[in-house]
Amino acid sequence: MNNINNQILKEIKPTKEQELFVKRETSAFLKSLNKNLKNAKAVVGGSFEKNTWLSGNYDVDIFVKFDYKKYKDIDISKELEKSLKKIKKTKVHGSRDYFQVKHGKFNFEIVPVLDIKNYKEAMNVTDISPLHSRFIKNNSNKKIQDDIRLAKQFLRSNELYGAESHIRGFSGYLIELLIIYYNGFDNFIKNVSKWKENEIIDIKKHYKNKTDLLLSLNASKLGPLIVIDPMQKNRNVAVALSKEKYDLIKNISNKYLKKSSIEYFKIKEFDVSKYKNSIIIEIIPKSGKADIIGSKIYKLFESMKFRINEEGFALNDFGWHYDKKTYLWFTPKEMEINKLKKHFGPFIEDYENMKKFRAKWTSYKIYEEKGKSYVIVERKFYRLNDLIINLIKDKSINKYTKFIKRL
């Protein structure tokens, strides 16, 4: 696998020129930003601080650290906003508001945090992020950092990268921890292929054994993979990972071990031609924060899938692909179903409600099935095409899309 790794690294690892460019531009931005700050200091965070960023990525996290004792009971988002009055920015609402600043190729995310020593001092989940960066820096070297890049590209290419609600895959921090734990990308792939249900990884050995860990963690923090945060013993870093994505990474890792190929690292374009006998909806999202737009489109997808099932259409396949262009697809067993359907009412022995049911359906013959009443009615939609056209007319969709069309 070494030849493939080296080949991919040539494509995804920033060149010396890129590193110097990013360092120069980021340093200049920090210098300007710090001049505007009072009682706080801005520093680089995220993958740029940890040296795990990929070539072509210019989204830079900036942490603005506020003194813990002085600001622990103060809204530091408002304090930061006061300091950024002269800077053109976009406020992003979250558990704690932060700000985005566009500067040439760069998108700086300026995040206010309390300068804490351990997780118990945190007043917000973002306060712990600098501690994460410090752990990764202190426990990695150039080889591990390159292997983290390989893992990020591998997962990204297979639509497994990202812990957002519409992805439910692997966060950057989770990937970094796993590569450190397994001491490299190749070992990571080999071990992932053998993962069992409820795989547990406790890098700092916060717990004596599996039983102690499971008894200590809240049930809501469990999942198919449990990776205890080295900096916060009561947190499962992999809590967002879905069972679907957990099974998928195991399956892909097994295939890669059997037949390694550079194709596993290539970003795939969505190929409409592969989805024959499917209804495909193309969505072009409006500009906005990717995870927020993605979350809304995911909700739309789930809503449409529910309505399709509710109307009586069985699906052989369904899914969605989110990028500059987004596609939802639904592959039904049949494009057209029976015009008539059973509409069920109360149990026959439920006399009070049966009176109301008969009064409502006076012109229909009432039948019985397993003790329940029903009438035969005509479906509003018996062709899936007609249902889809009706669904995409919903005005709420246009709140976050430029247009939608059926292919």
Side-chain angles (χ1 to χ4, degrees):
M1 288 190 276
N2 282 337
N3 288 338
I4 290 175
N5 293 355
N6 291 334
Q7 192 175 342
I8 293 299
L9 279 172
K10 286 179 183 178
E11 296 179 20
I12 66 170
K13 185 176 179 178
T15 62
K16 291 292 182 185
E17 291 77 12
Q18 283 179 311
E19 287 182 351
L20 288 170
F21 171 66
V22 168
K23 188 174 182 179
R24 184 179 69 246
E25 293 296 315
T26 302
S27 295
F29 182 80
L30 279 176
K31 187 176 180 181
S32 175
L33 180 59
N34 276 311
K35 285 180 181 178
N36 291 289
L37 296 175
K38 294 180 180 179
N39 302 315
K41 184 181 180 181
V43 297
V44 175
S47 59
F48 284 87
E49 182 189 6
K50 294 175 278 191
N51 192 34
T52 60
W53 57 290
L54 301 179
S55 176
N57 176 27
Y58 296 101
D59 292 340
V60 183
D61 292 335
I62 302 290
F63 294 126
V64 177
K65 295 184 174 183
F66 288 83
D67 181 80
Y68 173 72
K69 289 182 180 178
K70 186 175 180 180
Y71 286 95
K72 66 176 181 177
D73 298 317
I74 295 173
D75 186 339
I76 57 177
S77 288
K78 286 184 178 179
E79 292 297 312
L80 177 56
E81 191 169 14
K82 291 175 190 175
S83 300
L84 300 178
K85 276 183 180 179
K86 297 178 182 179
I87 298 175
K88 187 179 179 182
K89 62 195 174 295
T90 301
K91 182 191 281 191
V92 182
H93 298 291
S95 58
R96 180 186 283 154
D97 292 348
Y98 62 97
F99 305 90
Q100 290 181 332
V101 175
K102 298 283 185 183
H103 182 76
K105 285 186 175 182
F106 293 83
N107 178 38
F108 292 104
E109 291 204 340
I110 307 173
V111 184
V113 297
L114 291 172
D115 192 4
I116 62 174
K117 304 301 180 190
N118 64 71
Y119 79 92
K120 292 180 181 178
E121 294 177 327
M123 304 299 290
N124 185 281
V125 65
T126 55
D127 294 333
I128 305 169
S129 295
L131 300 183
H132 292 162
S133 295
R134 191 182 310 156
F135 180 85
I136 299 302
K137 280 180 69 178
N138 291 343
N139 290 274
S140 66
N141 52 37
K142 288 185 178 180
K143 169 66 170 61
I144 290 295
Q145 288 159 8
D146 282 348
D147 279 15
I148 287 169
R149 289 185 171 99
L150 287 169
K152 284 183 176 181
Q153 184 67 17
F154 184 86
L155 292 167
R156 184 177 161 212
S157 299
N158 292 286
E159 299 187 348
L160 289 160
Y161 188 14
E164 297 86 350
S165 61
H166 62 285
I167 300 173
R168 298 196 63 194
F170 293 74
S171 69
Y173 180 50
L174 175 56
I175 295 167
E176 290 160 351
L177 289 177
L178 290 170
I179 296 302
I180 288 171
Y181 179 72
Y182 288 121
N183 194 32
F185 174 73
D186 292 345
N187 286 336
F188 164 70
I189 293 294
K190 288 173 186 174
N191 281 278
V192 167
S193 68
K194 296 182 280 189
W195 275 352
K196 297 176 182 177
E197 209 62 40
N198 301 119
E199 188 74 22
I200 293 175
I201 294 170
D202 184 5
I203 296 173
K204 294 283 283 184
K205 294 185 169 34
H206 286 301
Y207 299 95
K208 294 178 183 178
N209 50 52
K210 181 177 179 179
T211 303
D212 182 32
L213 184 152
L214 293 174
L215 288 172
S216 300
L217 278 187
N218 187 292
S220 65
K221 296 176 182 178
L222 303 179
L225 175 65
I226 300 169
V227 178
I228 300 300
D229 192 337
M231 309 308 294
Q232 188 177 352
K233 67 179 289 185
N234 63 351
R235 177 175 180 251
N236 174 17
V237 183
V239 71
L241 182 67
S242 69
K243 178 69 165 59
E244 177 193 1
K245 295 296 171 74
Y246 181 77
D247 290 339
L248 184 57
I249 183 62
K250 288 169 60 180
N251 183 37
I252 290 171
S253 296
N254 269 298
K255 287 180 179 178
Y256 182 70
L257 286 171
K258 289 175 184 175
K259 190 178 180 181
S260 301
S261 168
I262 201 166
E263 291 303 311
Y264 284 90
F265 295 89
K266 298 289 185 181
I267 304 294
K268 289 95 178 168
E269 291 292 328
F270 183 81
D271 186 358
V272 174
S273 65
K274 287 183 178 180
Y275 297 89
K276 295 177 180 178
N277 304 315
S278 300
I279 287 182
I280 302 174
I281 302 162
E282 179 186 347
I283 299 175
I284 300 181
K286 287 181 178 176
S287 59
K289 199 166 188 311
D291 58 342
I292 294 172
I293 298 296
S295 177
K296 287 181 178 179
I297 294 172
Y298 176 70
K299 286 178 183 176
L300 167 66
F301 169 70
E302 287 294 319
S303 173
M304 291 185 75
K305 188 173 70 172
F306 174 80
R307 281 295 309 279
I308 289 168
N309 284 316
E310 188 180 45
E311 292 293 335
F313 294 91
L315 295 171
N316 284 328
D317 191 24
F318 49 83
W320 72 304
H321 174 83
Y322 175 40
D323 207 337
K324 291 177 182 177
K325 285 188 177 181
T326 296
Y327 299 94
L328 317 181
W329 71 88
F330 303 97
T331 310
K333 287 184 178 178
E334 297 174 307
M335 284 287 188
E336 190 173 314
I337 56 178
N338 197 310
K339 288 184 181 181
L340 303 176
K341 70 172 182 176
K342 294 176 182 178
H343 175 76
F344 283 93
F347 284 98
I348 296 294
E349 293 180 357
D350 185 353
Y351 301 112
E352 284 299 315
N353 285 313
M354 277 303 300
K355 283 181 185 178
K356 296 175 185 176
F357 187 69
R358 286 193 179 94
K360 183 176 180 181
W361 300 95
T362 52
S363 58
Y364 290 80
K365 183 177 178 180
I366 295 176
Y367 299 91
E368 179 184 349
E369 184 179 300
K370 294 181 180 179
K372 289 202 80 175
S373 59
Y374 72 89
V375 292
I376 303 293
V377 297
E378 191 169 312
R379 296 178 189 276
K380 186 176 179 181
F381 302 104
Y382 62 92
R383 294 189 184 97
L384 185 55
N385 280 2
D386 296 336
L387 173 60
I388 295 293
I389 289 168
N390 180 266
L391 290 175
I392 64 177
K393 284 179 181 176
D394 190 332
K395 289 181 181 178
S396 65
I397 292 172
N398 296 317
K399 289 181 181 178
Y400 56 92
T401 60
K402 288 181 179 176
F403 67 83
I404 293 182
K405 65 179 181 180
R406 209 176 102 254
L407 298 182

